[in-house]
Every structure is written in structure tokens, then in C-alpha cells.
Amino acid sequence: MESLFCCPICGGALNRGERCCTCRNGHSFDIAREGYVNLLPANQQHSKAPGDDKEMTAARTRFLEGGWYIPLREKLCELIGELALDAPDLLDAGCGEGWYTQAMAGAVSAKGGRIAGVDLSKPSVKKAARRCPAGEFAVGTLYHLPVADGSIDLLVNCFSPLAAEEFARVTRLGGKFLYVVPGPRHLWELKEAVYDRPYENEEKLEEYPGFRYLDVTPVETWFTLPDTQTIQDLFRMTPYSWKSPKSGAERLARLDRLTVTGQFRVHVMERI
């Protein structure tokens, strides 16, 4: 079966067998028991265990499975239904543990398409592959995607590093790019607990070479986190967990209930 991925060494097409993916030049990559493949060459691996570790992956998994971000996931599926042509190939760039990917796989499948996810974190990709057996998953870097030029119809990047040049390279002309970022007051109440002077996120439209804007879709929700564990899981998912002052982190750790604003922006772009 032809894979959505390409060989990270020579760039050739990969054929996916039962136990490994191979290219015409003889490069071979074992398929792990969970169903994913490691396509991160040693020269692109800047640490022994890059990306989110097991603890961070577990925290994100617990939080997302609580359903707090369901409105965002539903909006992504709705947009895919509106934007996708027949038999689309979708890449979830920075798929994490696959919570969004699993839902988007259903939207893509309804159009007769395929889905793949790439993430730097091996623990996350393991979970994603188990969660969404209908998709293909690979350990890889967003800055050197193991994906052929112009092969993707829909590219989704949800709260993951932006690699605009790579995203433009792999997206076909006319293909769509869904880029999820926080709104100005996303997680405002958490920031109030952590910072003495919380600040709003900057809201801007930035032009990326190879893409043009079609729309910015807002998604807003409010939810009450019922215990310390869930509050801390959310905190660990954010940059605030390593940027916050110690006193603010300690204040947050004393809370056992917190009502939070979820404010997202889905930037919808087209490859030109």
C-alpha cells in the first residue's frame, strides 16, 4: 500500500507493508507494534528523547479526554467537511496523542480520503496510532516533514510549532491550511491565577509565503475544571508552566476548581 509519507533519507515514495515501510532505494523503516513508524533521521534528532515526554503526554491525554475542547474539535471537522474535495489527503502536523486526529479521520473518511499525523514526541505518536488505527502516524519533525512536495490537500496545525515553508512545500496548489492559535483571552482565568498582571494574547493576521487568507473562524467556550489534577493537567499543556513565576504556580496549585475561557482562532488559508 502506498503511504502518505515519503522516505526521510532520499525523498522517495514509501510502500507500507505489514511490518515495515520501504522505498525503491532500499531504505526501510520498521512499523512499531502500535502501528506508527519512526521517520526522524539521527541528524534531525537534537536530543535522546525529543518532544513531549510520557508525563506531558499523559497530562494532555487526561485533559483532552475530559472533553473541554470538544467545540474546537467539532469546528475543525465542520471546516474539513466544507473545504475538502473528494478523497482528500489530510496531514495533522503536530498531531500529539491524536485526540483531534481521531475526530478529523471521520470527517476525511466521509469524503473517501486518508489521514496522517506527524509529531516529534514518540510517546505521543504511540498514543495517536493506538487511538486512530485508520490513520498513518510517524515520528518526525515539522521542519523536515517526511511528506512529498504538493501531496497534501488539507494541512492542520493545532497549537503546534509553525513551519510555514514546509507547510507550503507539502500542500498542493489550492489546498487548505487550518492553523489553530489562541484568542486574546484564551485561558484568561488561569493566567489571572498565575500572573499578577495577566496580558492578552496578540491577535494578528500574518501573511505566510505560498498562502492566502480565506477566513478566521472564532471558537469560544467556557468550562469549569472540577479538581486540582485537571487544572494542573491544563497548566502543563501551556507555555505558562515553564514561564510562570514560582509564586504564581504555587497559587494555582492550591486551587481545586477553576472556570476557564477557551478562546480559539482557526486561521483558514489556501495554497497559491
Side-chain angles (χ1 to χ4, degrees):
M1 179 183 73
E2 184 178 356
S3 173
L4 278 169
F5 297 121
C6 69
C7 177
I9 299 173
C10 68
L14 284 179
N15 185 67
R16 185 180 177 92
E18 289 186 9
R19 297 185 178 180
C20 63
C21 291
T22 56
C23 72
R24 290 182 179 180
N25 292 321
H27 301 123
S28 180
F29 308 90
D30 292 339
I31 297 173
R33 181 179 66 255
E34 295 85 355
Y36 73 93
V37 61
N38 192 330
L39 299 179
L40 183 66
N43 63 356
Q44 295 176 16
Q45 186 170 321
H46 302 301
S47 68
K48 290 184 178 180
D52 292 341
D53 59 19
K54 289 183 179 180
E55 182 180 345
M56 170 62 103
T57 299
R60 181 180 286 107
T61 298
R62 285 192 300 267
F63 179 82
L64 291 175
E65 288 181 347
W68 315 109
Y69 281 8
I70 281 177
L72 173 60
R73 188 172 71 170
E74 290 179 341
K75 177 56 67 174
L76 288 173
C77 292
E78 179 185 325
L79 288 170
I80 290 166
E82 294 172 358
L83 296 169
L85 301 176
D86 290 340
D89 287 335
L90 185 150
L91 178 68
D92 189 355
C95 65
E97 64 299 306
W99 187 76
Y100 296 100
T101 326
Q102 181 185 33
M104 293 190 294
V108 169
S109 177
K111 297 261 186 175
R114 302 181 296 171
I115 194 166
V118 175
D119 200 277
L120 191 59
S121 164
K122 185 182 291 187
S124 294
V125 172
K126 281 184 178 181
K127 283 185 176 291
R130 288 195 295 262
R131 183 192 295 275
C132 183
E136 280 191 272
F137 293 91
V139 177
T141 170
L142 303 191
Y143 299 99
H144 298 281
L145 286 166
V147 179
D149 295 357
S151 62
I152 298 300
D153 300 293
L154 289 162
L155 190 147
V156 177
N157 179 261
C158 186
F159 288 116
S160 291
L162 175 70
E165 288 186 11
E166 269 295 270
F167 296 170
R169 178 184 68 79
V170 304
T171 305
R172 69 165 179 83
L173 293 177
K176 305 304 188 294
F177 171 31
L178 305 182
Y179 180 36
V180 181
V181 299
R185 295 180 69 84
H186 182 56
L187 306 184
W188 182 253
E189 297 81 3
L190 184 147
K191 292 166 76 169
E192 283 185 313
V194 169
Y195 294 109
D196 294 329
R197 296 181 178 178
Y199 54 90
E200 291 190 356
N201 300 314
E202 184 179 5
E203 188 156 33
K204 61 181 180 179
L205 296 182
E206 186 171 343
E207 298 293 336
Y208 300 108
F211 293 103
R212 71 179 180 93
Y213 265 93
L214 298 179
D215 195 14
V216 178
T217 300
V219 180
E220 299 201 15
T221 184
W222 292 265
F223 47 88
T224 298
L225 304 180
D227 52 55
T228 301
Q229 175 74 70
T230 309
I231 295 168
Q232 288 301 306
D233 285 344
L234 174 60
F235 184 51
R236 281 195 287 269
M237 286 171 53
T238 72
Y240 314 129
S241 63
W242 65 84
K243 290 181 178 179
S244 301
K246 184 178 179 181
S247 58
E250 289 174 347
R251 280 199 303 271
L252 189 70
R254 290 194 291 268
L255 298 180
D256 58 9
R257 188 177 180 87
L258 183 66
T259 298
V260 183
T261 301
Q263 190 180 70
F264 314 94
R265 300 289 184 264
V266 184
H267 292 230
V268 183
M269 291 171 254
E270 181 177 53
R271 180 71 169 89
I272 56 175

PDB file of all heavy atoms in Angstrom, residues 80-103:
ATOM      1  N   ILE A  80     -13.449  20.935   7.721  1.00  0.00           N
ATOM      2  CA  ILE A  80     -12.963  19.909   6.795  1.00  0.00           C
ATOM      3  C   ILE A  80     -14.087  19.479   5.863  1.00  0.00           C
ATOM      4  O   ILE A  80     -13.893  19.330   4.646  1.00  0.00           O
ATOM      5  CB  ILE A  80     -12.395  18.711   7.580  1.00  0.00           C
ATOM      6  CG1 ILE A  80     -11.086  19.111   8.261  1.00  0.00           C
ATOM      7  CG2 ILE A  80     -12.174  17.509   6.668  1.00  0.00           C
ATOM      8  CD1 ILE A  80     -10.625  18.129   9.315  1.00  0.00           C
ATOM      9  N   GLY A  81     -15.283  19.289   6.425  1.00  0.00           N
ATOM     10  CA  GLY A  81     -16.424  18.918   5.598  1.00  0.00           C
ATOM     11  C   GLY A  81     -16.740  19.958   4.539  1.00  0.00           C
ATOM     12  O   GLY A  81     -17.139  19.626   3.417  1.00  0.00           O
ATOM     13  N   GLU A  82     -16.560  21.233   4.883  1.00  0.00           N
ATOM     14  CA  GLU A  82     -16.857  22.312   3.947  1.00  0.00           C
ATOM     15  C   GLU A  82     -15.766  22.499   2.895  1.00  0.00           C
ATOM     16  O   GLU A  82     -16.056  22.818   1.735  1.00  0.00           O
ATOM     17  CB  GLU A  82     -17.030  23.631   4.715  1.00  0.00           C
ATOM     18  CG  GLU A  82     -18.242  23.661   5.635  1.00  0.00           C
ATOM     19  CD  GLU A  82     -18.269  24.898   6.510  1.00  0.00           C
ATOM     20  OE1 GLU A  82     -17.318  25.715   6.423  1.00  0.00           O
ATOM     21  OE2 GLU A  82     -19.222  25.050   7.297  1.00  0.00           O
ATOM     22  N   LEU A  83     -14.522  22.307   3.289  1.00  0.00           N
ATOM     23  CA  LEU A  83     -13.400  22.658   2.424  1.00  0.00           C
ATOM     24  C   LEU A  83     -12.866  21.506   1.581  1.00  0.00           C
ATOM     25  O   LEU A  83     -12.298  21.732   0.512  1.00  0.00           O
ATOM     26  CB  LEU A  83     -12.248  23.204   3.282  1.00  0.00           C
ATOM     27  CG  LEU A  83     -12.511  24.499   4.035  1.00  0.00           C
ATOM     28  CD1 LEU A  83     -11.384  24.768   5.034  1.00  0.00           C
ATOM     29  CD2 LEU A  83     -12.650  25.669   3.067  1.00  0.00           C
ATOM     30  N   ALA A  84     -13.039  20.281   2.057  1.00  0.00           N
ATOM     31  CA  ALA A  84     -12.395  19.142   1.404  1.00  0.00           C
ATOM     32  C   ALA A  84     -13.089  18.773   0.100  1.00  0.00           C
ATOM     33  O   ALA A  84     -14.314  18.750   0.009  1.00  0.00           O
ATOM     34  CB  ALA A  84     -12.383  17.944   2.346  1.00  0.00           C
ATOM     35  N   LEU A  85     -12.281  18.464  -0.896  1.00  0.00           N
ATOM     36  CA  LEU A  85     -12.782  17.889  -2.131  1.00  0.00           C
ATOM     37  C   LEU A  85     -12.925  16.383  -1.931  1.00  0.00           C
ATOM     38  O   LEU A  85     -12.708  15.864  -0.840  1.00  0.00           O
ATOM     39  CB  LEU A  85     -11.809  18.198  -3.267  1.00  0.00           C
ATOM     40  CG  LEU A  85     -11.550  19.697  -3.526  1.00  0.00           C
ATOM     41  CD1 LEU A  85     -10.486  19.858  -4.609  1.00  0.00           C
ATOM     42  CD2 LEU A  85     -12.832  20.423  -3.911  1.00  0.00           C
ATOM     43  N   ASP A  86     -13.279  15.666  -2.983  1.00  0.00           N
ATOM     44  CA  ASP A  86     -13.394  14.216  -2.878  1.00  0.00           C
ATOM     45  C   ASP A  86     -12.035  13.584  -2.624  1.00  0.00           C
ATOM     46  O   ASP A  86     -11.015  14.028  -3.172  1.00  0.00           O
ATOM     47  CB  ASP A  86     -13.997  13.635  -4.160  1.00  0.00           C
ATOM     48  CG  ASP A  86     -15.472  13.994  -4.313  1.00  0.00           C
ATOM     49  OD1 ASP A  86     -16.103  14.334  -3.289  1.00  0.00           O
ATOM     50  OD2 ASP A  86     -15.980  13.937  -5.443  1.00  0.00           O
ATOM     51  N   ALA A  87     -12.011  12.547  -1.795  1.00  0.00           N
ATOM     52  CA  ALA A  87     -10.818  11.753  -1.493  1.00  0.00           C
ATOM     53  C   ALA A  87      -9.618  12.617  -1.102  1.00  0.00           C
ATOM     54  O   ALA A  87      -8.546  12.517  -1.695  1.00  0.00           O
ATOM     55  CB  ALA A  87     -10.463  10.865  -2.689  1.00  0.00           C
ATOM     56  N   PRO A  88      -9.776  13.469  -0.091  1.00  0.00           N
ATOM     57  CA  PRO A  88      -8.659  14.335   0.304  1.00  0.00           C
ATOM     58  C   PRO A  88      -7.617  13.589   1.143  1.00  0.00           C
ATOM     59  O   PRO A  88      -7.942  12.654   1.877  1.00  0.00           O
ATOM     60  CB  PRO A  88      -9.355  15.405   1.149  1.00  0.00           C
ATOM     61  CG  PRO A  88     -10.494  14.657   1.793  1.00  0.00           C
ATOM     62  CD  PRO A  88     -10.964  13.681   0.747  1.00  0.00           C
ATOM     63  N   ASP A  89      -6.379  14.022   1.025  1.00  0.00           N
ATOM     64  CA  ASP A  89      -5.310  13.568   1.906  1.00  0.00           C
ATOM     65  C   ASP A  89      -5.046  14.669   2.916  1.00  0.00           C
ATOM     66  O   ASP A  89      -4.720  15.809   2.545  1.00  0.00           O
ATOM     67  CB  ASP A  89      -4.031  13.271   1.118  1.00  0.00           C
ATOM     68  CG  ASP A  89      -4.140  11.996   0.301  1.00  0.00           C
ATOM     69  OD1 ASP A  89      -4.949  11.127   0.668  1.00  0.00           O
ATOM     70  OD2 ASP A  89      -3.411  11.864  -0.702  1.00  0.00           O
ATOM     71  N   LEU A  90      -5.203  14.345   4.213  1.00  0.00           N
ATOM     72  CA  LEU A  90      -5.040  15.336   5.282  1.00  0.00           C
ATOM     73  C   LEU A  90      -3.834  14.986   6.131  1.00  0.00           C
ATOM     74  O   LEU A  90      -3.642  13.828   6.506  1.00  0.00           O
ATOM     75  CB  LEU A  90      -6.301  15.389   6.150  1.00  0.00           C
ATOM     76  CG  LEU A  90      -6.332  16.467   7.250  1.00  0.00           C
ATOM     77  CD1 LEU A  90      -7.778  16.915   7.509  1.00  0.00           C
ATOM     78  CD2 LEU A  90      -5.720  16.005   8.569  1.00  0.00           C
ATOM     79  N   LEU A  91      -3.047  16.001   6.449  1.00  0.00           N
ATOM     80  CA  LEU A  91      -1.916  15.835   7.359  1.00  0.00           C
ATOM     81  C   LEU A  91      -2.150  16.660   8.610  1.00  0.00           C
ATOM     82  O   LEU A  91      -2.372  17.866   8.541  1.00  0.00           O
ATOM     83  CB  LEU A  91      -0.605  16.293   6.693  1.00  0.00           C
ATOM     84  CG  LEU A  91       0.636  16.206   7.579  1.00  0.00           C
ATOM     85  CD1 LEU A  91       0.997  14.754   7.880  1.00  0.00           C
ATOM     86  CD2 LEU A  91       1.826  16.932   6.945  1.00  0.00           C
ATOM     87  N   ASP A  92      -2.105  15.987   9.765  1.00  0.00           N
ATOM     88  CA  ASP A  92      -2.158  16.663  11.062  1.00  0.00           C
ATOM     89  C   ASP A  92      -0.715  16.873  11.499  1.00  0.00           C
ATOM     90  O   ASP A  92      -0.049  15.955  11.974  1.00  0.00           O
ATOM     91  CB  ASP A  92      -2.928  15.801  12.066  1.00  0.00           C
ATOM     92  CG  ASP A  92      -3.213  16.536  13.366  1.00  0.00           C
ATOM     93  OD1 ASP A  92      -2.733  17.676  13.521  1.00  0.00           O
ATOM     94  OD2 ASP A  92      -3.905  15.971  14.219  1.00  0.00           O
ATOM     95  N   ALA A  93      -0.228  18.094  11.309  1.00  0.00           N
ATOM     96  CA  ALA A  93       1.176  18.421  11.565  1.00  0.00           C
ATOM     97  C   ALA A  93       1.327  18.858  13.018  1.00  0.00           C
ATOM     98  O   ALA A  93       0.938  19.969  13.387  1.00  0.00           O
ATOM     99  CB  ALA A  93       1.654  19.515  10.616  1.00  0.00           C
ATOM    100  N   GLY A  94       1.896  17.976  13.840  1.00  0.00           N
ATOM    101  CA  GLY A  94       1.933  18.192  15.280  1.00  0.00           C
ATOM    102  C   GLY A  94       0.720  17.557  15.915  1.00  0.00           C
ATOM    103  O   GLY A  94      -0.020  18.183  16.678  1.00  0.00           O
ATOM    104  N   CYS A  95       0.499  16.283  15.601  1.00  0.00           N
ATOM    105  CA  CYS A  95      -0.748  15.590  15.963  1.00  0.00           C
ATOM    106  C   CYS A  95      -0.853  15.245  17.438  1.00  0.00           C
ATOM    107  O   CYS A  95      -1.929  14.902  17.926  1.00  0.00           O
ATOM    108  CB  CYS A  95      -0.891  14.313  15.130  1.00  0.00           C
ATOM    109  SG  CYS A  95       0.387  13.060  15.449  1.00  0.00           S
ATOM    110  N   GLY A  96       0.279  15.306  18.175  1.00  0.00           N
ATOM    111  CA  GLY A  96       0.230  14.926  19.580  1.00  0.00           C
ATOM    112  C   GLY A  96      -0.288  13.513  19.743  1.00  0.00           C
ATOM    113  O   GLY A  96       0.060  12.608  18.980  1.00  0.00           O
ATOM    114  N   GLU A  97      -1.158  13.319  20.738  1.00  0.00           N
ATOM    115  CA  GLU A  97      -1.664  11.987  21.039  1.00  0.00           C
ATOM    116  C   GLU A  97      -2.877  11.614  20.190  1.00  0.00           C
ATOM    117  O   GLU A  97      -3.504  10.583  20.415  1.00  0.00           O
ATOM    118  CB  GLU A  97      -1.998  11.868  22.527  1.00  0.00           C
ATOM    119  CG  GLU A  97      -3.109  12.762  23.013  1.00  0.00           C
ATOM    120  CD  GLU A  97      -2.803  14.228  22.832  1.00  0.00           C
ATOM    121  OE1 GLU A  97      -1.749  14.681  23.306  1.00  0.00           O
ATOM    122  OE2 GLU A  97      -3.614  14.916  22.179  1.00  0.00           O
ATOM    123  N   GLY A  98      -3.229  12.448  19.205  1.00  0.00           N
ATOM    124  CA  GLY A  98      -4.232  12.068  18.216  1.00  0.00           C
ATOM    125  C   GLY A  98      -5.676  12.326  18.580  1.00  0.00           C
ATOM    126  O   GLY A  98      -6.570  11.822  17.903  1.00  0.00           O
ATOM    127  N   TRP A  99      -5.934  13.142  19.609  1.00  0.00           N
ATOM    128  CA  TRP A  99      -7.318  13.394  20.021  1.00  0.00           C
ATOM    129  C   TRP A  99      -8.085  14.135  18.926  1.00  0.00           C
ATOM    130  O   TRP A  99      -9.231  13.779  18.616  1.00  0.00           O
ATOM    131  CB  TRP A  99      -7.333  14.189  21.322  1.00  0.00           C
ATOM    132  CG  TRP A  99      -8.697  14.354  21.923  1.00  0.00           C
ATOM    133  CD1 TRP A  99      -9.430  13.419  22.606  1.00  0.00           C
ATOM    134  CD2 TRP A  99      -9.499  15.547  21.906  1.00  0.00           C
ATOM    135  NE1 TRP A  99     -10.637  13.957  23.012  1.00  0.00           N
ATOM    136  CE2 TRP A  99     -10.698  15.258  22.595  1.00  0.00           C
ATOM    137  CE3 TRP A  99      -9.323  16.825  21.381  1.00  0.00           C
ATOM    138  CZ2 TRP A  99     -11.703  16.200  22.780  1.00  0.00           C
ATOM    139  CZ3 TRP A  99     -10.332  17.765  21.557  1.00  0.00           C
ATOM    140  CH2 TRP A  99     -11.501  17.441  22.254  1.00  0.00           C
ATOM    141  N   TYR A 100      -7.475  15.140  18.329  1.00  0.00           N
ATOM    142  CA  TYR A 100      -8.105  15.831  17.211  1.00  0.00           C
ATOM    143  C   TYR A 100      -8.074  14.961  15.960  1.00  0.00           C
ATOM    144  O   TYR A 100      -9.035  14.918  15.189  1.00  0.00           O
ATOM    145  CB  TYR A 100      -7.386  17.156  16.918  1.00  0.00           C
ATOM    146  CG  TYR A 100      -7.461  18.167  18.030  1.00  0.00           C
ATOM    147  CD1 TYR A 100      -6.399  18.346  18.906  1.00  0.00           C
ATOM    148  CD2 TYR A 100      -8.596  18.959  18.203  1.00  0.00           C
ATOM    149  CE1 TYR A 100      -6.461  19.274  19.931  1.00  0.00           C
ATOM    150  CE2 TYR A 100      -8.661  19.899  19.222  1.00  0.00           C
ATOM    151  CZ  TYR A 100      -7.589  20.052  20.083  1.00  0.00           C
ATOM    152  OH  TYR A 100      -7.654  20.972  21.099  1.00  0.00           O
ATOM    153  N   THR A 101      -6.971  14.260  15.747  1.00  0.00           N
ATOM    154  CA  THR A 101      -6.799  13.449  14.540  1.00  0.00           C
ATOM    155  C   THR A 101      -7.894  12.406  14.417  1.00  0.00           C
ATOM    156  O   THR A 101      -8.415  12.157  13.325  1.00  0.00           O
ATOM    157  CB  THR A 101      -5.431  12.741  14.559  1.00  0.00           C
ATOM    158  OG1 THR A 101      -4.455  13.563  15.191  1.00  0.00           O
ATOM    159  CG2 THR A 101      -4.982  12.411  13.146  1.00  0.00           C
ATOM    160  N   GLN A 102      -8.216  11.779  15.531  1.00  0.00           N
ATOM    161  CA  GLN A 102      -9.239  10.731  15.515  1.00  0.00           C
ATOM    162  C   GLN A 102     -10.562  11.265  14.993  1.00  0.00           C
ATOM    163  O   GLN A 102     -11.234  10.616  14.171  1.00  0.00           O
ATOM    164  CB  GLN A 102      -9.418  10.163  16.919  1.00  0.00           C
ATOM    165  CG  GLN A 102     -10.452   9.051  17.011  1.00  0.00           C
ATOM    166  CD  GLN A 102     -10.677   8.607  18.449  1.00  0.00           C
ATOM    167  OE1 GLN A 102     -10.582   9.411  19.377  1.00  0.00           O
ATOM    168  NE2 GLN A 102     -10.935   7.329  18.640  1.00  0.00           N
ATOM    169  N   ALA A 103     -10.967  12.434  15.457  1.00  0.00           N
ATOM    170  CA  ALA A 103     -12.229  13.019  15.005  1.00  0.00           C
ATOM    171  C   ALA A 103     -12.138  13.448  13.547  1.00  0.00           C
ATOM    172  O   ALA A 103     -13.071  13.228  12.758  1.00  0.00           O
ATOM    173  CB  ALA A 103     -12.598  14.203  15.889  1.00  0.00           C
TER     174      ALA A 103
END
